[in-house]
Amino acid sequence: MRAYYFDDLPGDQRAPHDSGKPVDPAVLDKIGVLRWQIPVSTNGQYPEIDAVARERDYKNRDVITITKEGLGELYESKIKMFYEEHMHEDEEIRYTLEGSGYFDVREHPSDSWIRIAVSAGDLIVLPAGIYHRFTLDQRNMIKAMRLFKDEPKWTPYNRDAETDANPHRQQYLKTIAVN
């Protein structure tokens, strides 16, 4: 997993957009982004993922594959939707099994985009209330395990004044202010 500041240049969202400025892991810690590198299992057993799930009270999981072939005519609209800046009222936790992509998160208080490149074996947890977006990279494929506390529920709240006032967003800002 590699993190760097997004270059903010126009162009394909799936391009690296690498500014050449790496992000210190302490910055990710400060904004509450957790991450691990856990080798992908060859036998379908994931004791390290199971331990994280127990620790964070995640009871369910599923696997999602995002490809042009799999989504067909919906592919471009889904990719655009994932890339809208938003937050969730729950953590977003993803373990990459195959392929690769990018999670972009907003650094606070600078509001700069930090791009986090994920590939097989990367586990990332985005805290509730953090503004973020997701896109595939130019390989156009990712297979990821999603973990959730109960039933899948990741309602996206696109960034606006109302979302800025959302109690989960406000709690997130209080939490990172302490760090």
Side-chain angles (χ1 to χ4, degrees):
M1 191 174 315
R2 191 170 77 82
Y4 53 88
Y5 287 97
F6 187 83
D7 65 14
D8 285 322
L9 297 175
D12 186 349
Q13 69 193 40
R14 292 169 265 209
H17 287 280
D18 190 342
S19 65
K21 298 178 204 160
V23 172
D24 189 296
V27 171
L28 295 176
D29 293 342
K30 177 156 179 45
I31 62 173
V33 175
L34 305 176
R35 62 249 172 248
W36 295 266
Q37 173 41 240
I38 300 170
V40 175
S41 171
T42 57
N43 66 7
Q45 302 297 308
Y46 292 97
E48 294 102 334
I49 301 292
D50 296 341
V52 171
R54 275 191 307 278
E55 176 185 319
R56 304 191 77 74
D57 198 30
Y58 282 87
K59 298 176 186 79
N60 295 305
R61 63 185 76 176
D62 68 6
V63 173
I64 184 170
T65 302
I66 303 170
T67 64
K68 282 183 177 183
E69 299 76 26
L71 293 175
E73 292 180 17
L74 296 175
Y75 177 77
E76 290 297 332
S77 65
K78 286 287 190 188
I79 292 299
K80 283 182 177 38
M81 182 187 75
F82 296 151
Y83 201 63
E84 290 290 322
E85 182 176 6
H86 64 279
M87 58 144 262
H88 302 286
E89 293 182 341
D90 297 310
E91 289 181 337
E92 182 165 332
I93 181 168
R94 300 288 186 270
Y95 176 61
T96 306
L97 296 163
E98 292 178 43
S100 47
Y102 301 113
F103 283 94
D104 296 338
V105 295
R106 285 285 189 188
E107 181 180 34
H108 186 79
S110 74
D111 222 26
S112 299
W113 280 116
I114 295 172
R115 176 152 276 193
I116 304 168
V118 296
S119 58
D122 289 335
L123 175 65
I124 188 168
V125 178
L126 304 181
I130 192 172
Y131 285 125
H132 67 283
R133 61 190 183 191
F134 172 79
T135 189
L136 293 176
D137 61 18
Q138 293 172 321
R139 294 180 200 117
N140 290 318
M141 186 277 189
I142 195 165
K143 181 177 181 180
M145 181 185 298
R146 305 182 300 177
L147 289 87
F148 36 90
K149 295 191 185 261
D150 294 306
E151 294 304 312
K153 181 188 88 168
W154 288 291
T155 304
Y157 296 92
N158 288 347
R159 188 173 187 175
D160 62 18
E162 188 177 327
T163 306
D164 285 342
N166 179 295
H168 292 86
R169 173 68 181 168
Q170 292 302 307
Q171 182 58 46
Y172 167 72
L173 294 174
K174 287 178 188 170
T175 299
I176 64 169
V178 173
N179 288 341

